[in-house]
Amino acid sequence: LPVNTRCKLHVRNFQSPYIVNRTFMLAKEASLADQNTDVRLIGEKLFRGVSAKDQCYLMKQVLQFTLEDVLLPQSDRFQPYMWEVVPFLTKLSNKLSSCHISGDDQNIQKNVRRLKETVKKLGESGEIKAIGELDLLFMSLRNACVGGS
Ligand SMILES: *[C@@H]1O[C@H](CO)[C@@H](O)[C@H](O)[C@H]1NC(C)=O
C-alpha cells in the first residue's frame, strides 16, 4: 500500500475571501474563452482508483503541472488575476514540497499522465481549459489536503 508523508495543508490557506475571489474570477474569464466544453480535466476520472488519503499527493502533481506547463506559458494573459493567483498557487505548491508517497502509486501516475496528455493534445486551448478549471483545482486541493493524512 502507498504511504504518504506530509501531504497536508492548513484550512487557513483557503480562507482568504480575496484570493478565493481572484482565483474564481481567473477561472471564470478563462472558461469564457474555452470553446471545448465536452472535456473535463478535474473530475471523477482524475480520482478513479486513488484512495482519499492519496488524493493530496495526486493534486500536488496536478498543481505542479498547472504552474509549470499551463500558467507559466499563459502568464501574460487574464490580468490582473493571473499575477495574483500564480504566487498564491506557488506558495501552496511550496508547502507541499515534502509531500511524498512510497509504494504503489500506479493509478495516481496514470491519472495524472492522462490529464497532462489531454492538455498537451489540445495545445493552447488545453491550457485555457486548465485555467478555466482553476476553481475546481482550488476546491479539489482543499478537499484532498485539508485534514487528510
Ligand atoms: C469577486 O469580486 C467582485 C468585486 O467585488 C465581484 O463583482 C465578483 O462577483 C466576485 N466574483 C466571485 C466569483 O466571487
Side-chain angles (χ1 to χ4, degrees):
L1 282 176
V3 174
N4 68 50
T5 45
R6 297 179 161 277
C7 297
K8 203 167 185 170
L9 291 171
H10 199 281
V11 68
R12 206 168 33 227
N13 291 297
F14 298 92
Q15 286 177 326
S16 153
Y18 182 77
I19 200 65
V20 174
N21 177 282
R22 298 287 108 170
T23 306
F24 279 61
M25 291 299 282
L26 175 56
K28 194 171 159 191
E29 284 232 333
S31 65
L32 292 175
D34 179 14
Q35 310 289 325
N36 185 341
T37 51
D38 40 51
V39 176
R40 167 59 60 86
L41 300 170
I42 298 180
E44 183 268 323
K45 254 186 172 171
L46 180 62
F47 300 102
R48 192 174 290 169
V50 180
S51 68
K53 67 176 175 48
D54 297 327
Q55 291 184 0
C56 184
Y57 176 73
L58 179 146
M59 287 310 299
K60 170 199 172 162
Q61 298 197 49
V62 173
L63 176 61
Q64 243 166 14
F65 169 74
T66 302
L67 279 165
E68 288 162 19
D69 291 47
V70 172
L71 297 177
L72 193 61
Q74 296 291 333
S75 57
D76 292 337
R77 298 186 64 181
F78 307 115
Q79 300 299 349
Y81 309 115
M82 186 65 87
W83 73 266
E84 295 176 297
V85 172
V86 168
F88 165 67
L89 293 178
T90 302
K91 194 184 71 183
L92 294 185
S93 180
N94 290 340
K95 285 177 192 274
L96 287 172
S97 62
S98 55
C99 169
H100 296 296
I101 198 164
S102 57
D104 179 14
D105 63 349
Q106 248 187 346
N107 283 332
I108 300 172
Q109 299 313 332
K110 190 179 70 191
N111 295 2
V112 170
R113 193 165 54 241
R114 191 195 294 123
L115 179 142
K116 290 181 182 179
E117 284 168 359
T118 304
V119 172
K120 295 291 179 195
K121 199 174 64 195
L122 293 172
E124 182 167 22
S125 84
E127 294 169 4
I128 303 300
K129 170 171 294 296
I131 299 170
E133 291 192 11
L134 280 179
D135 53 342
L136 300 177
L137 182 137
F138 177 93
M139 291 187 293
S140 299
L141 202 56
R142 188 185 57 192
N143 289 343
C145 299
V146 172
S149 60

